[in-house]
Amino acid sequence: MADAVSVGVNLDAFSHAISGIQALRSSVSRVFESLKDGMKNRDSLEGREKLFLAEFQDHLQAVNRDLSELERLSGLVGRPSESHPLHNSGLLSLDPVQDKTPLYSQLLQAYKWSNKLQYHAGLASSLLNQQSLKRSANQMGASAKRRPKVQPSTLVLPPHYVDDVISRIGRMFPDMNIELFRPNGTSAVLLVTLGKVLKAIVVMRSLFIDRTIVRGFNENIYSDDGKLDLWTKSQYQVFQKVTDHATTALLHYQLPQMPDVVVRSFMTWLRSYMKLFQASCQRCGRFLQEGLPPTWRDFRTLEASHDTCRM
Amino acid sequence: MGVATDTETVCHVPVAEGKSVQQTVDIVHKKLEQLGAVKHGSFCVDCETYHATGNASGQPSKLLYVMHNSETPLSCMALFEGGPCLIADANFDVLMVKLKSHFQNAKGHKVECRGSRYRYCDFLIKVGTVTMSSSARGISVEVEYCPCIVPGDCWNLMKEFMLSFLGTNVPELPSVFAAKPEGLFAPADCVDTMTQYLELFNKLRKLQISGSNVR
């Protein structure tokens, strides 16, 4: 009940304050109105000046008066009460027409629910982090942990840090040429040229790999307007298959706390395609299977096998 | 159509015993179709031979081969025997007529190779009949693995593929590639392919002289 009374007082002060603001606005606009009209329509030059100045002074004083009145009123309004656990939204409970707008009870439900969600998400994240580099464990759904929401802060790494990590990885693999572009804003796009075998475009979000596309060494990587072509898929079936596998690898390598390790593991894996056309399948021993060379590389051993042989 | 910049090999398939050239071609077609290859148009490679005349120094006159390939319809390749080669516009033929006093067309030496193209995954296969002075002399098979530009890298893979439809007639790595340090099939270079065709034509011509394996 006490709450309701204080709110009532507050409301009174609010309405006074609002009319105070209105008064202030109208007096300010009067000042400009008279300034706009200037000194015309007066008889003598001296009289004109005198009258104008007096009028202007009056108007300014009115503004001053209204302003101090408003300041006094704002003191009365005071700060919103913070005693309620739900802050201002707690005031919803005062709404007398509960049946028509059950907002407050819904709000409480949502609050409880989000609390629970946060708790469970915390548990899940600590469980998942125990599985070193795996983004997708076999028995669990992959999509649920696709995005590392646990640490949104790693999404805003400074660009020069990303540059640094990439150039360090580039130095680790001399047979792999990594070029870094920033065609749109701060997100980096890597062009990886692997020997004379393939070219891969890797789109990054800070240090997380967003998507990748693999094309042949002799295929175009720039579109007609000279920009990197991030979308057209390779005309060769073998590189379409490799693109699919690279996307699988993106989902597999995952360690939110150390995104640079993920990028390095992915590059190590990609580098195993150096012998794409030279390696025979480790399972069946043949080179071709349905017209395609062994396009699959094991995530841990990097050994080559056909897509159909790896099962 | 762009110039192929990938690994190709051209090889000669001996005519099966007791079969005509056409019958052997049909057998190869059938094997390819069984494998799952899809027919994809036709192709033609031709070659004319010119003798260099008016050789003042008295050296034996060199041969000049002028070749066309339907894969590059706007160009014309001129290959000197064991010497440099040239890729020119298609109207190079007209120039050759003007150069009659220096290069004489060896009549009756025109070789032509026509046939069908097949596609199987990233492979391009061309099976052609080689004709000299309007009689079929032999069969050519050209296999191209488009995604790979280093012939040495994918040679085993191509060999396995050719084994699947040519049986035992699988060739060795073409000498044009073996000679190159990196074995790279140079971009915009159809000369390697034409050199291989030329070798094949010359081989068939010699076979004709010795009189074996030809019907």
Side-chain angles (χ1 to χ4, degrees), chain B residues 48-82:
Chain B
E48 295 209 51
T49 313
Y50 290 86
H51 292 291
T53 57
N55 202 331
S57 58
Q59 287 168 352
S61 74
K62 265 188 161 182
L63 292 176
L64 174 70
Y65 302 100
V66 177
M67 305 182 78
H68 301 91
N69 186 349
S70 57
E71 295 288 313
T72 55
L74 296 183
S75 328
C76 173
M77 271 69 63
L79 288 90
F80 254 115
E81 195 183 13

PDB file of all heavy atoms in Angstrom, chain B residues 48-82:
ATOM      1  N   GLU B  48      48.178 -30.698 -91.178  1.00  0.00           N
ATOM      2  CA  GLU B  48      48.725 -30.648 -92.537  1.00  0.00           C
ATOM      3  C   GLU B  48      50.234 -30.524 -92.449  1.00  0.00           C
ATOM      4  O   GLU B  48      50.762 -29.895 -91.537  1.00  0.00           O
ATOM      5  CB  GLU B  48      48.148 -29.445 -93.279  1.00  0.00           C
ATOM      6  CG  GLU B  48      46.661 -29.579 -93.491  1.00  0.00           C
ATOM      7  CD  GLU B  48      46.209 -28.862 -94.748  1.00  0.00           C
ATOM      8  OE1 GLU B  48      46.815 -29.111 -95.811  1.00  0.00           O
ATOM      9  OE2 GLU B  48      45.264 -28.075 -94.664  1.00  0.00           O
ATOM     10  N   THR B  49      50.915 -31.135 -93.419  1.00  0.00           N
ATOM     11  CA  THR B  49      52.371 -31.127 -93.383  1.00  0.00           C
ATOM     12  C   THR B  49      52.905 -30.218 -94.485  1.00  0.00           C
ATOM     13  O   THR B  49      52.387 -30.222 -95.602  1.00  0.00           O
ATOM     14  CB  THR B  49      52.910 -32.546 -93.597  1.00  0.00           C
ATOM     15  OG1 THR B  49      52.175 -33.423 -92.764  1.00  0.00           O
ATOM     16  CG2 THR B  49      54.372 -32.633 -93.247  1.00  0.00           C
ATOM     17  N   TYR B  50      53.916 -29.396 -94.156  1.00  0.00           N
ATOM     18  CA  TYR B  50      54.544 -28.518 -95.143  1.00  0.00           C
ATOM     19  C   TYR B  50      56.032 -28.807 -95.162  1.00  0.00           C
ATOM     20  O   TYR B  50      56.642 -29.063 -94.116  1.00  0.00           O
ATOM     21  CB  TYR B  50      54.328 -27.043 -94.774  1.00  0.00           C
ATOM     22  CG  TYR B  50      52.899 -26.572 -94.935  1.00  0.00           C
ATOM     23  CD1 TYR B  50      51.980 -26.749 -93.919  1.00  0.00           C
ATOM     24  CD2 TYR B  50      52.498 -25.934 -96.112  1.00  0.00           C
ATOM     25  CE1 TYR B  50      50.680 -26.313 -94.067  1.00  0.00           C
ATOM     26  CE2 TYR B  50      51.190 -25.488 -96.265  1.00  0.00           C
ATOM     27  CZ  TYR B  50      50.288 -25.671 -95.236  1.00  0.00           C
ATOM     28  OH  TYR B  50      49.009 -25.239 -95.382  1.00  0.00           O
ATOM     29  N   HIS B  51      56.627 -28.753 -96.370  1.00  0.00           N
ATOM     30  CA  HIS B  51      58.077 -28.863 -96.500  1.00  0.00           C
ATOM     31  C   HIS B  51      58.639 -27.460 -96.634  1.00  0.00           C
ATOM     32  O   HIS B  51      58.089 -26.645 -97.368  1.00  0.00           O
ATOM     33  CB  HIS B  51      58.460 -29.627 -97.779  1.00  0.00           C
ATOM     34  CG  HIS B  51      58.078 -31.064 -97.725  1.00  0.00           C
ATOM     35  ND1 HIS B  51      58.690 -31.960 -96.897  1.00  0.00           N
ATOM     36  CD2 HIS B  51      57.144 -31.752 -98.418  1.00  0.00           C
ATOM     37  CE1 HIS B  51      58.152 -33.153 -97.067  1.00  0.00           C
ATOM     38  NE2 HIS B  51      57.197 -33.055 -97.981  1.00  0.00           N
ATOM     39  N   ALA B  52      59.721 -27.205 -95.929  1.00  0.00           N
ATOM     40  CA  ALA B  52      60.388 -25.923 -96.119  1.00  0.00           C
ATOM     41  C   ALA B  52      61.244 -26.022 -97.387  1.00  0.00           C
ATOM     42  O   ALA B  52      62.062 -26.930 -97.519  1.00  0.00           O
ATOM     43  CB  ALA B  52      61.262 -25.609 -94.909  1.00  0.00           C
ATOM     44  N   THR B  53      61.036 -25.109 -98.329  1.00  0.00           N
ATOM     45  CA  THR B  53      61.786 -25.156 -99.584  1.00  0.00           C
ATOM     46  C   THR B  53      62.781 -24.012 -99.633  1.00  0.00           C
ATOM     47  O   THR B  53      62.763 -23.140 -98.764  1.00  0.00           O
ATOM     48  CB  THR B  53      60.835 -25.045-100.793  1.00  0.00           C
ATOM     49  OG1 THR B  53      60.105 -23.834-100.636  1.00  0.00           O
ATOM     50  CG2 THR B  53      59.892 -26.220-100.866  1.00  0.00           C
ATOM     51  N   GLY B  54      63.608 -24.041-100.659  1.00  0.00           N
ATOM     52  CA  GLY B  54      64.574 -22.944-100.858  1.00  0.00           C
ATOM     53  C   GLY B  54      65.585 -22.870 -99.732  1.00  0.00           C
ATOM     54  O   GLY B  54      65.925 -21.802 -99.246  1.00  0.00           O
ATOM     55  N   ASN B  55      66.014 -24.030 -99.267  1.00  0.00           N
ATOM     56  CA  ASN B  55      66.980 -24.068 -98.183  1.00  0.00           C
ATOM     57  C   ASN B  55      68.374 -23.857 -98.742  1.00  0.00           C
ATOM     58  O   ASN B  55      68.920 -24.708 -99.433  1.00  0.00           O
ATOM     59  CB  ASN B  55      66.871 -25.441 -97.496  1.00  0.00           C
ATOM     60  CG  ASN B  55      67.422 -25.376 -96.094  1.00  0.00           C
ATOM     61  OD1 ASN B  55      68.314 -24.580 -95.822  1.00  0.00           O
ATOM     62  ND2 ASN B  55      66.879 -26.193 -95.233  1.00  0.00           N
ATOM     63  N   ALA B  56      68.943 -22.698 -98.442  1.00  0.00           N
ATOM     64  CA  ALA B  56      70.204 -22.329 -99.075  1.00  0.00           C
ATOM     65  C   ALA B  56      71.384 -23.130 -98.533  1.00  0.00           C
ATOM     66  O   ALA B  56      72.269 -23.533 -99.259  1.00  0.00           O
ATOM     67  CB  ALA B  56      70.456 -20.837 -98.882  1.00  0.00           C
ATOM     68  N   SER B  57      71.362 -23.388 -97.210  1.00  0.00           N
ATOM     69  CA  SER B  57      72.538 -23.994 -96.583  1.00  0.00           C
ATOM     70  C   SER B  57      72.682 -25.473 -96.926  1.00  0.00           C
ATOM     71  O   SER B  57      73.671 -26.082 -96.549  1.00  0.00           O
ATOM     72  CB  SER B  57      72.459 -23.797 -95.070  1.00  0.00           C
ATOM     73  OG  SER B  57      71.256 -24.370 -94.593  1.00  0.00           O
ATOM     74  N   GLY B  58      71.720 -26.038 -97.576  1.00  0.00           N
ATOM     75  CA  GLY B  58      71.850 -27.419 -97.986  1.00  0.00           C
ATOM     76  C   GLY B  58      71.536 -28.421 -96.901  1.00  0.00           C
ATOM     77  O   GLY B  58      71.713 -29.619 -97.080  1.00  0.00           O
ATOM     78  N   GLN B  59      71.030 -27.956 -95.784  1.00  0.00           N
ATOM     79  CA  GLN B  59      70.623 -28.894 -94.733  1.00  0.00           C
ATOM     80  C   GLN B  59      69.343 -29.606 -95.165  1.00  0.00           C
ATOM     81  O   GLN B  59      68.583 -29.081 -95.968  1.00  0.00           O
ATOM     82  CB  GLN B  59      70.342 -28.125 -93.432  1.00  0.00           C
ATOM     83  CG  GLN B  59      71.611 -27.636 -92.760  1.00  0.00           C
ATOM     84  CD  GLN B  59      71.308 -26.628 -91.657  1.00  0.00           C
ATOM     85  OE1 GLN B  59      70.184 -26.200 -91.508  1.00  0.00           O
ATOM     86  NE2 GLN B  59      72.339 -26.267 -90.950  1.00  0.00           N
ATOM     87  N   PRO B  60      69.122 -30.784 -94.620  1.00  0.00           N
ATOM     88  CA  PRO B  60      67.869 -31.467 -94.952  1.00  0.00           C
ATOM     89  C   PRO B  60      66.680 -30.613 -94.525  1.00  0.00           C
ATOM     90  O   PRO B  60      66.693 -30.029 -93.442  1.00  0.00           O
ATOM     91  CB  PRO B  60      67.940 -32.769 -94.136  1.00  0.00           C
ATOM     92  CG  PRO B  60      68.985 -32.542 -93.103  1.00  0.00           C
ATOM     93  CD  PRO B  60      69.961 -31.576 -93.709  1.00  0.00           C
ATOM     94  N   SER B  61      65.705 -30.488 -95.393  1.00  0.00           N
ATOM     95  CA  SER B  61      64.610 -29.556 -95.125  1.00  0.00           C
ATOM     96  C   SER B  61      63.769 -30.040 -93.955  1.00  0.00           C
ATOM     97  O   SER B  61      63.494 -31.231 -93.814  1.00  0.00           O
ATOM     98  CB  SER B  61      63.750 -29.399 -96.374  1.00  0.00           C
ATOM     99  OG  SER B  61      62.972 -30.559 -96.537  1.00  0.00           O
ATOM    100  N   LYS B  62      63.370 -29.060 -93.141  1.00  0.00           N
ATOM    101  CA  LYS B  62      62.567 -29.382 -91.952  1.00  0.00           C
ATOM    102  C   LYS B  62      61.102 -29.445 -92.339  1.00  0.00           C
ATOM    103  O   LYS B  62      60.658 -28.827 -93.304  1.00  0.00           O
ATOM    104  CB  LYS B  62      62.758 -28.282 -90.913  1.00  0.00           C
ATOM    105  CG  LYS B  62      63.836 -28.588 -89.897  1.00  0.00           C
ATOM    106  CD  LYS B  62      63.784 -27.522 -88.840  1.00  0.00           C
ATOM    107  CE  LYS B  62      64.476 -27.946 -87.575  1.00  0.00           C
ATOM    108  NZ  LYS B  62      64.365 -26.900 -86.561  1.00  0.00           N
ATOM    109  N   LEU B  63      60.357 -30.164 -91.517  1.00  0.00           N
ATOM    110  CA  LEU B  63      58.916 -30.241 -91.757  1.00  0.00           C
ATOM    111  C   LEU B  63      58.196 -29.276 -90.822  1.00  0.00           C
ATOM    112  O   LEU B  63      58.615 -29.053 -89.693  1.00  0.00           O
ATOM    113  CB  LEU B  63      58.413 -31.660 -91.494  1.00  0.00           C
ATOM    114  CG  LEU B  63      58.898 -32.732 -92.473  1.00  0.00           C
ATOM    115  CD1 LEU B  63      58.400 -34.100 -92.041  1.00  0.00           C
ATOM    116  CD2 LEU B  63      58.430 -32.429 -93.887  1.00  0.00           C
ATOM    117  N   LEU B  64      57.114 -28.706 -91.325  1.00  0.00           N
ATOM    118  CA  LEU B  64      56.279 -27.831 -90.509  1.00  0.00           C
ATOM    119  C   LEU B  64      54.872 -28.426 -90.480  1.00  0.00           C
ATOM    120  O   LEU B  64      54.310 -28.751 -91.525  1.00  0.00           O
ATOM    121  CB  LEU B  64      56.245 -26.423 -91.110  1.00  0.00           C
ATOM    122  CG  LEU B  64      55.306 -25.447 -90.433  1.00  0.00           C
ATOM    123  CD1 LEU B  64      55.821 -25.060 -89.057  1.00  0.00           C
ATOM    124  CD2 LEU B  64      55.107 -24.206 -91.284  1.00  0.00           C
ATOM    125  N   TYR B  65      54.363 -28.601 -89.292  1.00  0.00           N
ATOM    126  CA  TYR B  65      53.009 -29.154 -89.165  1.00  0.00           C
ATOM    127  C   TYR B  65      52.061 -28.046 -88.736  1.00  0.00           C
ATOM    128  O   TYR B  65      52.325 -27.327 -87.781  1.00  0.00           O
ATOM    129  CB  TYR B  65      52.972 -30.267 -88.124  1.00  0.00           C
ATOM    130  CG  TYR B  65      53.917 -31.403 -88.430  1.00  0.00           C
ATOM    131  CD1 TYR B  65      55.150 -31.494 -87.797  1.00  0.00           C
ATOM    132  CD2 TYR B  65      53.554 -32.385 -89.346  1.00  0.00           C
ATOM    133  CE1 TYR B  65      56.017 -32.531 -88.078  1.00  0.00           C
ATOM    134  CE2 TYR B  65      54.414 -33.424 -89.640  1.00  0.00           C
ATOM    135  CZ  TYR B  65      55.654 -33.497 -89.000  1.00  0.00           C
ATOM    136  OH  TYR B  65      56.499 -34.524 -89.283  1.00  0.00           O
ATOM    137  N   VAL B  66      50.962 -27.906 -89.456  1.00  0.00           N
ATOM    138  CA  VAL B  66      49.941 -26.923 -89.086  1.00  0.00           C
ATOM    139  C   VAL B  66      48.709 -27.686 -88.621  1.00  0.00           C
ATOM    140  O   VAL B  66      48.166 -28.507 -89.361  1.00  0.00           O
ATOM    141  CB  VAL B  66      49.589 -26.001 -90.266  1.00  0.00           C
ATOM    142  CG1 VAL B  66      48.480 -25.046 -89.875  1.00  0.00           C
ATOM    143  CG2 VAL B  66      50.823 -25.237 -90.704  1.00  0.00           C
ATOM    144  N   MET B  67      48.310 -27.446 -87.391  1.00  0.00           N
ATOM    145  CA  MET B  67      47.249 -28.263 -86.801  1.00  0.00           C
ATOM    146  C   MET B  67      46.095 -27.402 -86.306  1.00  0.00           C
ATOM    147  O   MET B  67      46.271 -26.255 -85.907  1.00  0.00           O
ATOM    148  CB  MET B  67      47.814 -29.063 -85.620  1.00  0.00           C
ATOM    149  CG  MET B  67      49.010 -29.915 -85.981  1.00  0.00           C
ATOM    150  SD  MET B  67      49.606 -30.862 -84.589  1.00  0.00           S
ATOM    151  CE  MET B  67      48.441 -32.195 -84.523  1.00  0.00           C
ATOM    152  N   HIS B  68      44.908 -27.994 -86.315  1.00  0.00           N
ATOM    153  CA  HIS B  68      43.721 -27.350 -85.739  1.00  0.00           C
ATOM    154  C   HIS B  68      43.093 -28.299 -84.728  1.00  0.00           C
ATOM    155  O   HIS B  68      43.166 -29.508 -84.897  1.00  0.00           O
ATOM    156  CB  HIS B  68      42.684 -27.026 -86.813  1.00  0.00           C
ATOM    157  CG  HIS B  68      43.198 -26.132 -87.875  1.00  0.00           C
ATOM    158  ND1 HIS B  68      43.777 -26.618 -89.027  1.00  0.00           N
ATOM    159  CD2 HIS B  68      43.235 -24.788 -87.960  1.00  0.00           C
ATOM    160  CE1 HIS B  68      44.145 -25.606 -89.781  1.00  0.00           C
ATOM    161  NE2 HIS B  68      43.832 -24.479 -89.154  1.00  0.00           N
ATOM    162  N   ASN B  69      42.488 -27.701 -83.728  1.00  0.00           N
ATOM    163  CA  ASN B  69      41.813 -28.508 -82.728  1.00  0.00           C
ATOM    164  C   ASN B  69      40.452 -27.876 -82.458  1.00  0.00           C
ATOM    165  O   ASN B  69      40.364 -26.667 -82.232  1.00  0.00           O
ATOM    166  CB  ASN B  69      42.651 -28.518 -81.439  1.00  0.00           C
ATOM    167  CG  ASN B  69      42.110 -29.452 -80.392  1.00  0.00           C
ATOM    168  OD1 ASN B  69      40.987 -29.963 -80.522  1.00  0.00           O
ATOM    169  ND2 ASN B  69      42.877 -29.675 -79.358  1.00  0.00           N
ATOM    170  N   SER B  70      39.398 -28.670 -82.494  1.00  0.00           N
ATOM    171  CA  SER B  70      38.058 -28.108 -82.304  1.00  0.00           C
ATOM    172  C   SER B  70      37.852 -27.574 -80.881  1.00  0.00           C
ATOM    173  O   SER B  70      36.915 -26.840 -80.620  1.00  0.00           O
ATOM    174  CB  SER B  70      36.998 -29.150 -82.627  1.00  0.00           C
ATOM    175  OG  SER B  70      37.198 -30.284 -81.814  1.00  0.00           O
ATOM    176  N   GLU B  71      38.747 -27.944 -79.956  1.00  0.00           N
ATOM    177  CA  GLU B  71      38.637 -27.395 -78.597  1.00  0.00           C
ATOM    178  C   GLU B  71      39.036 -25.921 -78.577  1.00  0.00           C
ATOM    179  O   GLU B  71      38.587 -25.160 -77.728  1.00  0.00           O
ATOM    180  CB  GLU B  71      39.548 -28.159 -77.634  1.00  0.00           C
ATOM    181  CG  GLU B  71      39.180 -29.604 -77.435  1.00  0.00           C
ATOM    182  CD  GLU B  71      37.904 -29.773 -76.613  1.00  0.00           C
ATOM    183  OE1 GLU B  71      37.789 -29.128 -75.570  1.00  0.00           O
ATOM    184  OE2 GLU B  71      37.043 -30.558 -77.040  1.00  0.00           O
ATOM    185  N   THR B  72      39.926 -25.542 -79.501  1.00  0.00           N
ATOM    186  CA  THR B  72      40.327 -24.143 -79.611  1.00  0.00           C
ATOM    187  C   THR B  72      40.063 -23.704 -81.046  1.00  0.00           C
ATOM    188  O   THR B  72      40.993 -23.579 -81.840  1.00  0.00           O
ATOM    189  CB  THR B  72      41.824 -23.966 -79.281  1.00  0.00           C
ATOM    190  OG1 THR B  72      42.560 -24.855 -80.144  1.00  0.00           O
ATOM    191  CG2 THR B  72      42.144 -24.301 -77.858  1.00  0.00           C
ATOM    192  N   PRO B  73      38.793 -23.456 -81.379  1.00  0.00           N
ATOM    193  CA  PRO B  73      38.421 -23.246 -82.791  1.00  0.00           C
ATOM    194  C   PRO B  73      38.980 -21.958 -83.380  1.00  0.00           C
ATOM    195  O   PRO B  73      39.035 -21.826 -84.604  1.00  0.00           O
ATOM    196  CB  PRO B  73      36.895 -23.214 -82.747  1.00  0.00           C
ATOM    197  CG  PRO B  73      36.531 -22.919 -81.342  1.00  0.00           C
ATOM    198  CD  PRO B  73      37.654 -23.366 -80.471  1.00  0.00           C
ATOM    199  N   LEU B  74      39.396 -21.010 -82.539  1.00  0.00           N
ATOM    200  CA  LEU B  74      39.873 -19.737 -83.091  1.00  0.00           C
ATOM    201  C   LEU B  74      41.383 -19.710 -83.259  1.00  0.00           C
ATOM    202  O   LEU B  74      41.934 -18.700 -83.663  1.00  0.00           O
ATOM    203  CB  LEU B  74      39.431 -18.588 -82.184  1.00  0.00           C
ATOM    204  CG  LEU B  74      37.920 -18.391 -82.082  1.00  0.00           C
ATOM    205  CD1 LEU B  74      37.599 -17.195 -81.218  1.00  0.00           C
ATOM    206  CD2 LEU B  74      37.315 -18.198 -83.469  1.00  0.00           C
ATOM    207  N   SER B  75      42.053 -20.807 -82.903  1.00  0.00           N
ATOM    208  CA  SER B  75      43.510 -20.798 -83.027  1.00  0.00           C
ATOM    209  C   SER B  75      43.988 -21.868 -83.994  1.00  0.00           C
ATOM    210  O   SER B  75      43.268 -22.788 -84.353  1.00  0.00           O
ATOM    211  CB  SER B  75      44.191 -21.047 -81.681  1.00  0.00           C
ATOM    212  OG  SER B  75      43.465 -20.554 -80.636  1.00  0.00           O
ATOM    213  N   CYS B  76      45.227 -21.695 -84.358  1.00  0.00           N
ATOM    214  CA  CYS B  76      45.861 -22.602 -85.287  1.00  0.00           C
ATOM    215  C   CYS B  76      47.270 -22.828 -84.766  1.00  0.00           C
ATOM    216  O   CYS B  76      47.947 -21.878 -84.382  1.00  0.00           O
ATOM    217  CB  CYS B  76      45.873 -21.906 -86.650  1.00  0.00           C
ATOM    218  SG  CYS B  76      46.773 -22.773 -87.895  1.00  0.00           S
ATOM    219  N   MET B  77      47.687 -24.077 -84.660  1.00  0.00           N
ATOM    220  CA  MET B  77      49.006 -24.359 -84.098  1.00  0.00           C
ATOM    221  C   MET B  77      49.985 -24.731 -85.213  1.00  0.00           C
ATOM    222  O   MET B  77      49.652 -25.547 -86.066  1.00  0.00           O
ATOM    223  CB  MET B  77      48.924 -25.534 -83.110  1.00  0.00           C
ATOM    224  CG  MET B  77      48.610 -25.141 -81.695  1.00  0.00           C
ATOM    225  SD  MET B  77      46.940 -24.532 -81.463  1.00  0.00           S
ATOM    226  CE  MET B  77      45.990 -25.974 -81.894  1.00  0.00           C
ATOM    227  N   ALA B  78      51.146 -24.138 -85.170  1.00  0.00           N
ATOM    228  CA  ALA B  78      52.180 -24.501 -86.137  1.00  0.00           C
ATOM    229  C   ALA B  78      53.361 -25.063 -85.373  1.00  0.00           C
ATOM    230  O   ALA B  78      53.915 -24.392 -84.500  1.00  0.00           O
ATOM    231  CB  ALA B  78      52.597 -23.275 -86.933  1.00  0.00           C
ATOM    232  N   LEU B  79      53.726 -26.304 -85.662  1.00  0.00           N
ATOM    233  CA  LEU B  79      54.821 -26.948 -84.941  1.00  0.00           C
ATOM    234  C   LEU B  79      55.938 -27.289 -85.907  1.00  0.00           C
ATOM    235  O   LEU B  79      55.711 -27.981 -86.911  1.00  0.00           O
ATOM    236  CB  LEU B  79      54.329 -28.234 -84.256  1.00  0.00           C
ATOM    237  CG  LEU B  79      53.417 -28.078 -83.043  1.00  0.00           C
ATOM    238  CD1 LEU B  79      51.967 -28.055 -83.468  1.00  0.00           C
ATOM    239  CD2 LEU B  79      53.659 -29.211 -82.075  1.00  0.00           C
ATOM    240  N   PHE B  80      57.121 -26.802 -85.615  1.00  0.00           N
ATOM    241  CA  PHE B  80      58.284 -27.196 -86.392  1.00  0.00           C
ATOM    242  C   PHE B  80      58.765 -28.531 -85.878  1.00  0.00           C
ATOM    243  O   PHE B  80      58.746 -28.771 -84.665  1.00  0.00           O
ATOM    244  CB  PHE B  80      59.407 -26.162 -86.230  1.00  0.00           C
ATOM    245  CG  PHE B  80      59.594 -25.313 -87.432  1.00  0.00           C
ATOM    246  CD1 PHE B  80      59.341 -23.959 -87.388  1.00  0.00           C
ATOM    247  CD2 PHE B  80      60.035 -25.894 -88.614  1.00  0.00           C
ATOM    248  CE1 PHE B  80      59.516 -23.189 -88.513  1.00  0.00           C
ATOM    249  CE2 PHE B  80      60.212 -25.127 -89.737  1.00  0.00           C
ATOM    250  CZ  PHE B  80      59.944 -23.765 -89.686  1.00  0.00           C
ATOM    251  N   GLU B  81      59.214 -29.351 -86.778  1.00  0.00           N
ATOM    252  CA  GLU B  81      59.710 -30.658 -86.379  1.00  0.00           C
ATOM    253  C   GLU B  81      60.877 -30.461 -85.400  1.00  0.00           C
ATOM    254  O   GLU B  81      61.901 -29.863 -85.752  1.00  0.00           O
ATOM    255  CB  GLU B  81      60.192 -31.392 -87.626  1.00  0.00           C
ATOM    256  CG  GLU B  81      60.398 -32.856 -87.437  1.00  0.00           C
ATOM    257  CD  GLU B  81      60.940 -33.465 -88.719  1.00  0.00           C
ATOM    258  OE1 GLU B  81      61.356 -32.726 -89.615  1.00  0.00           O
ATOM    259  OE2 GLU B  81      60.925 -34.703 -88.819  1.00  0.00           O
ATOM    260  N   GLY B  82      60.685 -30.926 -84.175  1.00  0.00           N
ATOM    261  CA  GLY B  82      61.732 -30.836 -83.156  1.00  0.00           C
ATOM    262  C   GLY B  82      62.135 -29.415 -82.809  1.00  0.00           C
ATOM    263  O   GLY B  82      63.170 -29.178 -82.206  1.00  0.00           O
TER     264      GLY B  82
END
